[in-house]
Amino acid sequence: MIDHAHDLASVRDATDRLLTAAAELDDASVTQSSRLPGWSRGHVLAHLARNADALVNVFQGRPMYVDAAVRDADIERDAPRPLDVQLADVRESAARLQEAAAVPADWSRTVELRNGVTDSAARVPFRRWAEVELHHVDLGIGYELEDLPEEFVAREIDFLVERFRGHGDVPSTRLSGDGGGTWSTGGGAPGGPVDVGGPAADLLGWLSGRRDGSALTVDGGPLPALPPL
């Protein structure tokens, strides 16, 4: 059962960690490349701020973004800003999101996200938690997948294997973490089952497109090529 209040608290904690770490940067380092192809650290910070405002739209019954072009243009516009402006925007937009989420509402209602994706309102805080945690890693400032909270790692793996379950390009795949977790995904493509194992951080890195899977063990076939998220 999703505990949206717990997840909102986790979003606050993750945001505080990111802001504390990013405050050690300077204006020059914000312009340097992040770990996301084509994006500077400024792009990542701008995206986090605009994503928070987009989720306010979701909670208030408006479209998440006007359209993809406007979303991308807003990130490009905001990416070159100085560090202090970036951090203030992330902080203030995060506060707006928490305020919108504090309004009494039916958390079981269905909301629409990007590209026609729908979900229950109760799952939106976890989606935001994932944005903050994974993009903190993407900044490339010393926060790694191994530093992510254990609860988050397990739940994000759950989320991603659900996303790929039955996917037409992914054969039946069984995952096992060194810590004991097991999952299954794929099944829409011929072949398998392929058994993939390793540390939970490496499993998450592979599933999220942040690691190539070279640290994982694979039996029953080659490591499946996952489609982009």
Side-chain angles (χ1 to χ4, degrees):
M1 185 175 181
I2 299 295
D3 183 346
H4 67 271
H6 166 79
D7 289 347
L8 286 166
S10 297
V11 170
R12 283 194 297 270
D13 291 344
T15 302
D16 287 345
R17 284 195 298 274
L18 184 149
L19 287 168
T20 298
E24 299 298 318
L25 300 173
D26 55 30
D27 288 345
S29 58
V30 172
T31 67
Q32 294 171 353
S33 296
S34 74
R35 291 174 173 174
L36 294 177
W39 270 17
S40 68
R41 292 186 177 116
H43 283 89
V44 175
L45 294 171
H47 164 63
L48 282 168
R50 300 289 68 78
N51 174 260
D53 284 336
L55 292 177
V56 171
N57 289 337
V58 169
F59 281 135
Q60 296 179 347
R62 296 187 297 272
M64 187 170 179
Y65 296 101
V66 174
D67 58 37
V70 171
R71 170 190 176 273
D72 294 346
D74 286 348
I75 294 170
E76 290 295 332
R77 178 198 66 206
D78 294 343
R81 298 175 302 176
L83 176 64
D84 61 338
V85 179
Q86 296 277 16
L87 297 184
D89 194 14
V90 172
R91 184 179 300 107
E92 292 163 8
S93 59
R96 289 192 292 271
L97 176 57
Q98 292 285 340
E99 182 179 356
V103 175
D106 176 11
W107 285 93
S108 67
R109 73 191 187 278
T110 298
V111 295
E112 184 171 347
L113 304 169
R114 286 185 67 199
N115 303 321
V117 173
T118 60
D119 206 345
S120 69
R123 280 167 57 101
V124 171
F126 180 76
R127 286 176 175 269
R128 174 62 181 181
W129 188 10
E131 291 283 334
V132 177
E133 292 285 15
L134 293 178
H135 286 318
H136 190 168
V137 174
D138 294 334
L139 286 171
I141 55 176
Y143 191 68
E144 303 296 340
L145 294 171
E146 286 78 8
D147 298 316
L148 294 168
E150 185 176 341
E151 177 201 351
F152 171 77
V153 172
R155 289 179 60 190
E156 182 66 359
I157 292 175
D158 286 342
F159 179 84
L160 292 172
V161 296
E162 179 182 333
R163 184 163 182 169
F164 292 125
R165 188 168 292 125
H167 196 288
D169 295 329
V170 182
S172 176
T173 306
R174 298 184 297 225
L175 285 72
S176 58
D178 288 352
T182 59
W183 302 265
S184 62
T185 193
V194 180
D195 292 307
V196 179
D202 283 303
L203 290 172
L204 175 55
W206 171 62
L207 289 165
S208 66
R210 286 168 170 81
R211 290 187 181 170
D212 62 9
S214 59
L216 301 172
T217 60
V218 186
D219 293 307
L223 183 69
L226 299 177
L229 294 172

